[in-house]
Amino acid sequence: MAENQQDTAEATTGADAAPQVGIIAQYVKDLSFENPNAPHSLQNAAATQPRIEVNVNVGVRRMGEDAYEVDLRIEAIARQEAQKAFQVELLYSGLFALKNVPEEALEPFLLVEAPRMLFPFARRIIADSTRDGGFPPLLLDPIDFAALYLQQRQQQGPGADLTSGDVAGNA
């Protein structure tokens, strides 16, 4: 019986050392939709295809010993001819609990996997905002956060801590 208790204690200790990741919360921190030339921009919306520029940034902040806030900032600007049709900006965040994650896996998780988990929700908010603003929904293409991370890693150099700032990219 004493052996079973010892085996159980060792198994529990081993499980506690395994990496654990969880999403505590996800939330909209800031959302802005501008339609500066309405109603003119809405009358011309079907006539010409707008040029759309999308910028994406990922930021990370340590919130506690095992908690990190990951910010996914998406800005999209649509232009028809020389005028701005609309501009939508979203700051969508998630609070992640990370326990027993090796140091070398921390940055890739926070800058690749965490934004990848947040993106579908942010994409939906962008689509709903543009639709509610009178335009066809803007359905963002999937974003390769790993490529953005690798690009930023090459620009910053191997010793840089990317979790203290933003990883930026154009989609």
Side-chain angles (χ1 to χ4, degrees), residues 56-78:
V56 177
N57 291 304
V58 177
V60 176
R61 271 183 302 293
R62 186 178 207 130
M63 302 303 287
E65 186 176 329
D66 295 329
Y68 293 85
E69 182 181 52
V70 177
D71 292 334
L72 181 57
R73 182 182 306 271
I74 300 173
E75 178 184 22
I77 300 173

Side-chain angles (χ1 to χ4, degrees), residues 25-29 69-72 91-95 118:
Q26 32 185 44
Y27 41 91
V28 174
K29 285 181 86 171
E69 182 181 52
V70 177
D71 292 334
L72 181 57
L91 180 57
Y92 191 76
S93 300
L95 189 58
L118 295 174

Side-chain angles (χ1 to χ4, degrees), residues 15-94:
D16 288 344
Q20 298 173 1
V21 175
I23 299 176
I24 299 169
Q26 32 185 44
Y27 41 91
V28 174
K29 285 181 86 171
D30 190 23
L31 174 62
S32 172
F33 180 85
E34 298 175 22
N35 189 353
N37 296 305
H40 179 69
S41 60
L42 297 171
Q43 292 170 336
N44 293 335
T48 60
Q49 185 75 7
R51 258 186 4 261
I52 299 175
E53 178 185 322
V54 178
N55 291 304
V56 177
N57 291 304
V58 177
V60 176
R61 271 183 302 293
R62 186 178 207 130
M63 302 303 287
E65 186 176 329
D66 295 329
Y68 293 85
E69 182 181 52
V70 177
D71 292 334
L72 181 57
R73 182 182 306 271
I74 300 173
E75 178 184 22
I77 300 173
R79 298 184 193 282
Q80 290 175 318
E81 300 162 9
Q83 290 190 329
K84 187 187 299 183
F86 69 81
Q87 180 172 351
V88 61
E89 297 175 28
L90 172 65
L91 180 57
Y92 191 76
S93 300

Side-chain angles (χ1 to χ4, degrees), residues 67-156:
Y68 293 85
E69 182 181 52
V70 177
D71 292 334
L72 181 57
R73 182 182 306 271
I74 300 173
E75 178 184 22
I77 300 173
R79 298 184 193 282
Q80 290 175 318
E81 300 162 9
Q83 290 190 329
K84 187 187 299 183
F86 69 81
Q87 180 172 351
V88 61
E89 297 175 28
L90 172 65
L91 180 57
Y92 191 76
S93 300
L95 189 58
F96 291 84
L98 301 157
K99 199 169 197 174
N100 301 321
V101 175
E103 192 66 34
E104 64 275 3
L106 192 60
E107 186 177 276
F109 176 82
L110 292 170
L111 295 172
V112 177
E113 293 304 316
R116 186 184 57 76
M117 287 186 244
L118 295 174
F119 180 74
F121 301 97
R123 181 180 192 253
R124 173 71 186 268
I125 293 166
I126 296 286
D128 288 348
S129 296
T130 55
R131 184 199 65 228
D132 293 347
F135 295 91
L138 175 58
L139 299 174
L140 298 174
D141 290 335
I143 296 172
D144 187 352
F145 290 101
L148 289 176
Y149 170 71
L150 292 174
Q151 177 185 9
Q152 190 72 14
R153 173 59 58 207
Q154 288 175 347
Q155 290 176 356
Q156 296 292 327

